[in-house]
Structure formats: structure tokens, C-alpha cells
Amino acid sequence: MTLRTSQWVGLSLLLGLLLFSLLGITLSPYSISQQDLNAILVPPNSDHWLGTDHFGRSMLSRMAHAIGLSFALGILCVVTSAFLGAALGVTAVWAGKRVDQALAIVVNILLALPGLVIVLLFAAIAPGSFWVLYIAISLVQWVEYFRVTRAITQGVIQSPARQSSNMMGFGIWYQFRRHIWPAIAPSVFTLAAFGGANAILTMASLGFVYVGIQPPLAELGLMAVELFPFYSEAPWLLAQPLVVIALMVFGFHLLAGKRA
């Protein structure tokens, strides 16, 4: 697969943030909840490279863990929703009219409910649960993969090349690899890139309203709302989670661009 320059920039940006997270988690001598009450709202220095927050906690450690958490959720949601949506989208076309109609009913029910409402309902059931957020966001995102792969597969399944393979006795797995996957792969990868950005934004949005990941865990949206009262006293602290959220979303959007 050939990537354009903008996609390489996006991929490099995301890998850089991931590397920062891994190095920060591994090498920082401070835990995310370790407090130093003699160093509250300290600006970046040799001891605390990104400063400390209002509880004297290392911003480097907290940012590294928050970025890692966002990447973990984004990747898990993308992999789950892409696999589920693409598999059901292809199955809906291949398995016949009844299966297609049954899946269409399920999708229409989900589309009738705003995605954010579904996520908020799950978050209210188990506040602060990473795995509940993962299930809720995946449940919302797989629908787009289903609709796109189903629409593309409908054209491919009737193509002379696919029908020739079927008449020659090639198996379903061969027909999928030879005819369907090459047709749906570009759209699946584009949706996956946007899906990663949306998952991170959803997680941060829930943190903004205190229904996502709960303290003392570090999460970018939660950190932003915790540090907001100190924006005039220590603006560099509030800027850190906001800039990282913007960079992560920007990186995923660049990655979603059209391939060369």
C-alpha cells in the first residue's frame, strides 16, 4: 500500500505521540497519582519536564498515561468495529435477502438513536469503566463499516469476475480475498482512521462532563477540565492535553487521506 506525503506526516505524528507515551510510562520516576505538595503548579523544569498540576503530580507521567489510554481505546474500537462491520456487511450481501433484511433492521434501530446518547447511557451504567466505553463506542461505530462494505459488496458480488470464480469452484475465502477485500479495503482503512479520531474525541468529551474515566486516572478530557480553573495561573498546563487531543485527531485525519 502506497501512502501520500500527508499520510506519512499523520502516521509519523501518531507514532511520535505513541513513542512519547511509551517512554514516559517506562522512564518517568513518578506515578500518575504521586503528589509533591511542595511543587504545585510548577512550570517545566529539570525535575518535572512538563511541570506539575494543582496536586503536585507530574504532568509528564500523567500525559504519557493519558495518551496511552487514548491510543488503546482508539485502536481497540477501530479493530472491533471494523471487523464486525465489514464481516456483517459482506455477510448481508452474500447470505441472501433474509439475512440482509434482518441486519438492516438492526442497523436502522441503531441509527435511530444518536450515537452520543448510546455512549452516555453505557457510561451512566458503569461510570469510569474503560471496557464499557470501549463496548459503547464500538457499538456505535460498526454501523458505518456495515453500510459502506455492504454497498460495495453488492456491486462486486454480481461482477463477472466473481461469478467466474464461483463457477470454477473456488471457495468463499478465496473469492473474498480475490474480489471483495481489494474493493472494500480502501474504504475500510479510511473509515478506520476517522474512527480512531472519533473514539478519542468521544472519550475526551465524556471526560469533559465527568462521565468518562474517573480520577485519579489520567485521561486527556478529564485533565483539561481539571486544569481549566488554573488557565490564567498556569496556562501551559491546560494547553498540554488540549494540544495533544488536537494533534491526535489531526494525525488520524491526515492518515485518512486518499492513497496514492
Side-chain angles (χ1 to χ4, degrees), residues 3 6-17 251-252 254-255:
L3 299 181
S6 60
Q7 290 175 309
W8 280 115
V9 173
L11 182 61
S12 301
L13 188 58
L14 295 175
L15 290 177
L17 289 170
F252 275 112
L254 286 178
L255 197 58

Side-chain angles (χ1 to χ4, degrees), residues 142-161:
W142 75 271
V143 174
E144 287 302 318
Y145 295 92
F146 171 84
R147 297 174 67 190
V148 171
T149 56
R150 175 175 173 269
I152 297 174
T153 305
Q154 282 177 332
V156 177
I157 209 78
Q158 301 297 333
S159 66

Side-chain angles (χ1 to χ4, degrees), residues 16-26 63-65 67-69 71:
L17 289 170
L18 184 60
L19 181 63
F20 167 80
S21 173
L22 294 175
L23 291 178
I25 294 172
T26 305
M63 287 298 297
H65 280 81
I67 293 172
L69 189 68
F71 269 120

